[in-house]
Amino acid sequence: ELCHNKTQQFRQRIVQTFEKAMMESVNESQANHYNVDYKPVFGDSFEEQYYPSTCLVMEAGVRVLRRKDEPFNKLPFGRLFPRQKLFRNVKDIKTCAIVSSAGSLAGSKLGRFIDTHDIVMRFNHAPTQGHEVDVGSKTTIRVVNSQVVTKPEFDFTHAPIFRNVTIAAWDPGKYNGTLEDWLTSADYDLFTNYEIYRRRYPKSRAFLIDPHSVWRLWQSLQMFAGNRPISRNPPSSGFIGLALLLPHCPQVDFVEYVPSTRLNGRCHYYSKEMNSACTFGSWHPLAAEKLMALDMNMAEDDDMSVFQFGILRIRRPDKL
Ligand code: C5P
């Protein structure tokens, strides 16, 4: 009983911190670098506004670009896109794990649990080597941002960490930009290294995420937030990954995204950097993402699972 109350108190603290972070992050990012001109529609009542969060995320339709998509069907660049689907044997996929890179994964001993899932998603250059006990060793897919694809220190076109796994790379472009605009105005030119990678490894499953779908996800997040404006920057890789995976997976376990009581102030489990903005957000609308993810949690013992073990369980809605 006592322990349960403690978990509830922790939950309240976390939710309050997210709510506060949501307010503060908007003041910080008034710049509107992406020219977001979304006008929120404010419903009058809770009943009018409320819509299940999993459905909102599914409806964003986060996806990878395909050869047949305009304008890539007319451009030589589009022929670089793999013919394969994002995942093989989708019908056999029952459970998926998404491993956030949060510092509080350190010491979690969740590695074995993570590796039991059919699909394991990781982000950017987050390593498994040397961290197997806490984060596991299986990787099916990596969602990588355009900085990781571009900056020399990550060595995207050679580093073993990006080989023999599915890659889904993203860059936001501008909010209302066309895909043609995107090809010349990405935040970081991910196209050059994508091309090098695809030519070097023609059998690889390396995809680009449709930037329009990233902004649709942002809109879903703003709809969830209702009359509280969220920062006008794209969602984090973690949230994009969730939205990309959910349509392919009946059950997703998102590990240490909503922080557990292991919360330790570290940014990543693989570095010593202390920075709570990595967890609570300042640039990305991360606090809103995490409140929305918590709203999607279906674990039966919900508080124990999320706040003691660090596991948020999300079930895909049967039909939209
Ligand atoms: O820092 P990076 O973007 O590589 O981390 C991958 C993802 O893990 C983030 O996009 C975010 O969704 C999640 N993350 C988190 N809390 C942290 C660090 C990362 O939720 N402290």
Side-chain angles (χ1 to χ4, degrees):
E1 186 60 27
L2 193 69
C3 292
H4 192 69
N5 286 345
K6 252 184 145 172
T7 313
Q8 276 183 343
Q9 281 168 14
F10 184 79
R11 181 200 178 100
Q12 280 168 10
R13 290 274 295 278
I14 287 291
V15 169
Q16 278 165 10
T17 311
F18 285 147
E19 304 272 1
K20 191 158 160 268
M22 256 177 93
M23 311 288 270
E24 286 166 2
S25 74
V26 171
N27 299 334
E28 269 176 44
S29 58
Q30 293 299 356
N32 202 10
H33 173 73
Y34 298 99
N35 308 328
V36 176
D37 59 3
Y38 178 85
K39 297 271 178 300
V41 208
F42 300 130
D44 292 335
S45 64
F46 178 80
E47 290 81 353
E48 262 175 73
Q49 276 185 24
Y50 188 74
Y51 191 64
S53 295
T54 31
C55 300
L56 268 177
V57 164
M58 290 284 286
E59 282 171 14
V62 172
R63 64 189 286 274
V64 293
L65 292 168
R66 309 301 327 227
R67 289 182 176 211
K68 62 176 175 6
D69 294 339
E70 298 264 1
F72 301 100
N73 54 356
K74 299 192 194 71
L75 299 174
F77 185 74
R79 288 202 284 269
L80 287 170
F81 299 166
R83 287 182 192 285
Q84 298 105 302
K85 298 259 173 67
L86 184 61
F87 296 112
R88 15 175 117 78
N89 307 328
V90 177
K91 283 201 195 77
D92 299 336
I93 302 173
K94 302 275 186 294
T95 63
C96 300
I98 309 184
V99 187
S100 89
S101 303
S104 38
L105 265 163
S108 70
K109 298 204 167 68
L110 286 171
R112 217 178 299 193
F113 169 76
I114 289 168
D115 283 348
T116 60
H117 293 76
D118 300 323
I119 301 253
V120 177
M121 174 182 275
R122 301 181 194 273
F123 299 99
N124 296 321
H125 61 300
T128 52
Q129 215 178 15
H131 304 273
E132 292 86 350
V133 175
D134 293 331
V135 305
S137 54
K138 178 173 175 171
T139 305
T140 319
I141 177 169
R142 271 184 194 275
V143 173
V144 296
N145 64 37
S146 51
Q147 295 195 46
V148 169
V149 176
T150 325
K151 290 186 174 171
E153 63 262 38
F154 300 112
D155 196 15
F156 177 72
T157 56
H158 283 97
I161 202 167
F162 303 118
R163 296 289 325 281
N164 304 315
V165 296
T166 298
I167 298 283
W170 73 276
D171 180 281
K174 294 289 191 231
Y175 182 82
N176 277 325
T178 64
L179 292 172
E180 282 93 345
D181 298 335
W182 184 55
L183 288 171
T184 56
S185 68
D187 270 1
Y188 295 86
D189 164 38
L190 73 174
F191 309 108
T192 307
N193 273 350
Y194 178 74
E195 177 158 0
I196 293 172
Y197 182 100
R198 284 289 298 150
R199 288 193 192 287
R200 185 169 286 157
Y201 315 116
K203 294 200 174 123
S204 60
R205 281 181 134 85
F207 301 87
L208 298 179
I209 295 179
D210 179 350
H212 292 160
S213 72
V214 169
W215 287 111
R216 287 197 299 268
L217 183 63
W218 182 91
Q219 289 172 0
S220 290
L221 195 58
Q222 178 61 82
M223 275 182 231
F224 167 78
N227 55 14
R228 296 167 299 178
I230 62 168
S231 92
R232 288 172 293 190
N233 292 323
S236 74
S237 295
F239 201 62
I240 294 172
L242 168 65
L244 180 67
L245 189 53
L246 195 57
H248 303 277
C249 198
Q251 180 182 298
V252 174
D253 288 329
F254 205 156
V255 182
E256 275 297 346
Y257 184 57
V258 172
S260 73
T261 51
R262 279 187 297 269
L263 188 63
N264 58 11
R266 276 165 63 181
C267 182
H268 295 124
Y269 67 84
Y270 52 83
S271 90
K272 295 225 160 13
E273 185 196 345
M274 299 296 285
N275 185 353
S276 61
C278 300
T279 305
F280 295 102
S282 59
W283 193 82
H284 293 291
L286 195 64
E289 295 174 17
K290 294 187 183 200
L291 285 172
M292 190 170 184
L294 188 57
D295 191 56
M296 293 187 247
N297 181 44
M298 300 283 260
E300 267 145 43
D301 56 347
D302 56 35
D303 284 358
M304 275 297 270
S305 174
V306 178
F307 298 103
Q308 294 302 311
F309 307 130
I311 302 161
L312 188 88
R313 180 159 288 178
I314 299 172
R315 284 185 224 285
R316 181 178 65 195
D318 285 341
K319 279 213 179 73
L320 275 186

